[in-house]
Amino acid sequence: ILGLKQYQPVARTAVFVGFLCYSIAMIMLLLDIGRPDRFYYGFVFWNPHSPLWEVTMCIGLYFTVLTLEVLPILAGNDFFKGRWPKLVEKVEGLHHFSPVLAIAGLGLSMLHQSSLGATYGVLIARPIWYRPGLAVLFIVSAMCAGPSLTIFASQLAASLSKKANVNNELLDQLSRFVGWVLAAYLYLRFWDVFSMSYTYEPGRTEALRILTKGSLSANFWLGEMLFGIFLPMVILLSKRLRERVPIRMLGLLLAIGGLIAYRWDTVMVGQMVVTSVLPQELLPRYTQYVPSLVEILAGAGAIAFALTAFTLGVLYLRIVDHRVEEAHPAAAPVLAGTD
């Protein structure tokens, strides 16, 4: 979209990683809704007043865009070329629509992340969530973690497999971009939390205390602020540290962990304080949550699927091959979105 053609080889990895991540999202949603046989209801019975409905539409449409961008990558495999050459020729023609798909993917991914934040932000019954900044924070945090995961996966694949070839200079430049996004994210996250301490509000103040001084404080100060934002920002903005590949990979991994810590803190803190509407129960009540074994295994299974698929992509589809642009120009899609 911006005409930065030098980064096009990395887009091949980004699209495939995005496709796998949204595959995980679709799998987890099917498990989570309780009635997976009704997965299509959101697309048939519209509820345009619901941010959660918009999230459903954006995820489904963005997954469709990613699928269309991944199909030419699959078509470039010799196995498919030898058996269905005519079909492969038609599928490879999708590459000509890459600019359109890129614009659609960018819009859908930003709508998805902002709507996901707005889903929390419109809930007045949860005072810690009820604020407009969540939509922006969800977008910016995705802008940090999405490229970080792509760069980290590329570097890790190159260190483990001879089938993966990376351009270290390109990855270094993209890592520096992530560092600046982390700086903006740190600024926004600081004021997002600090502004809530100005006045007392029932439910919100107690939840903020849990986040900064209570059971979530270690996750907030260490997992999110120190190791999830500040430390990777320092690593990725320092040329001397960033040029050392193991340290750069550490910074990228910490940025990914920072997103997980932020989303965990956001989701949990809004549910750990319950304010009653009964006049005789004015004091907020506190709850606790520990993931069940079924939840842990379901999440681990989805992640295992993505790791297996990425491994196969590296070995047989040249997912991480920054030289592929020269030999196979039709197989390198345009980067679609932010995550």
Side-chain angles (χ1 to χ4, degrees):
I1 296 175
L2 300 178
L4 303 175
K5 300 295 184 182
Q6 67 270 29
Y7 299 109
Q8 190 138 334
V10 186
R12 184 182 181 88
T13 310
V15 168
F16 195 75
V17 169
F19 175 78
L20 294 181
C21 290
Y22 274 80
S23 298
I24 292 178
M26 302 290 279
I27 292 171
M28 297 308 297
L29 285 174
L30 284 175
L31 295 175
D32 200 41
I33 59 178
R35 289 293 301 269
D37 56 305
R38 296 183 177 181
F39 72 93
Y40 61 91
Y41 271 35
F43 301 98
V44 176
F45 305 105
W46 288 22
N47 183 9
H49 302 289
S50 169
L52 190 58
W53 171 81
E54 186 180 352
V55 171
T56 303
M57 294 294 289
C58 289
I59 288 179
L61 293 174
Y62 187 38
F63 184 73
T64 303
V65 170
L66 289 170
T67 301
L68 292 175
E69 292 210 299
V70 167
L71 284 176
I73 298 177
L74 295 174
N77 183 265
D78 295 334
F79 175 84
F80 298 107
K81 283 184 175 180
R83 285 162 177 78
W84 302 286
K86 292 185 179 180
L87 179 61
V88 165
E89 184 178 353
K90 292 181 180 180
V91 171
E92 287 183 338
L94 292 173
H95 174 72
H96 299 295
F97 298 98
S98 288
V100 177
L101 293 174
I103 295 173
L106 177 63
L108 289 169
S109 62
M110 294 189 71
L111 279 171
H112 160 227
Q113 293 297 333
S114 61
S115 299
L116 188 59
T119 301
Y120 298 93
V122 299
L123 296 177
I124 193 172
R126 304 287 182 174
I128 190 70
W129 286 343
Y130 189 62
R131 59 190 196 275
L134 283 178
V136 177
L137 282 169
F138 269 58
I139 292 177
V140 178
S141 62
M143 290 176 63
C144 296
S148 296
L149 181 58
T150 299
I151 302 166
F152 178 82
S154 302
Q155 203 79 64
L156 182 63
S159 63
L160 296 177
S161 173
K162 295 181 180 179
K163 295 289 186 72
N165 297 278
V166 298
N167 185 327
N168 192 61
E169 183 179 351
L170 285 183
L171 297 184
D172 180 79
Q173 294 173 7
L174 290 172
S175 299
R176 183 170 178 267
F177 164 77
V178 173
W180 283 114
V181 179
L182 282 168
Y185 176 42
L186 177 62
Y187 175 82
L188 293 173
R189 182 60 171 147
F190 170 79
W191 283 109
D192 174 65
V193 175
F194 188 68
S195 62
M196 289 188 289
S197 66
Y198 289 167
T199 59
Y200 173 79
E201 182 178 340
R204 186 191 69 182
T205 302
E206 288 78 8
L208 184 62
R209 190 176 298 119
I210 291 177
L211 181 65
T212 58
K213 300 178 182 178
S215 57
L216 292 175
S217 60
N219 194 61
F220 173 74
W221 292 110
L222 298 179
E224 189 179 343
M225 302 301 292
L226 178 59
F227 294 111
I229 303 179
F230 182 75
L231 188 57
M233 179 189 71
V234 172
I235 291 175
L236 298 179
L237 288 181
S238 170
K239 183 177 177 61
R240 181 175 60 86
L241 296 175
R242 195 176 63 245
E243 288 180 343
R244 300 175 64 179
V245 173
I247 297 180
R248 182 203 303 164
M249 292 180 65
L250 174 63
L252 295 168
L253 187 61
L254 290 174
I256 298 168
L259 170 75
I260 297 173
Y262 168 61
R263 299 295 173 91
W264 177 268
D265 286 342
T266 300
V267 172
M268 293 311 305
V269 75
Q271 302 181 77
M272 295 179 70
V273 177
V274 180
T275 53
S276 175
V277 296
L278 299 177
Q280 63 269 26
E281 295 184 15
L282 299 178
L283 295 177
R285 292 178 292 178
Y286 299 91
T287 61
Q288 294 292 333
Y289 167 75
V290 177
S292 67
L293 181 61
V294 172
E295 292 173 314
I296 294 173
L297 292 179
I303 294 173
F305 152 75
L307 292 175
T308 303
F310 185 79
T311 301
L312 295 175
V314 170
L315 294 178
Y316 301 109
L317 299 176
R318 301 188 304 275
I319 292 304
V320 183
D321 191 350
H322 294 174
R323 303 172 304 176
V324 77
E325 178 72 6
E326 301 174 1
H328 305 275
V334 177
L335 181 60
T338 59
D339 60 343

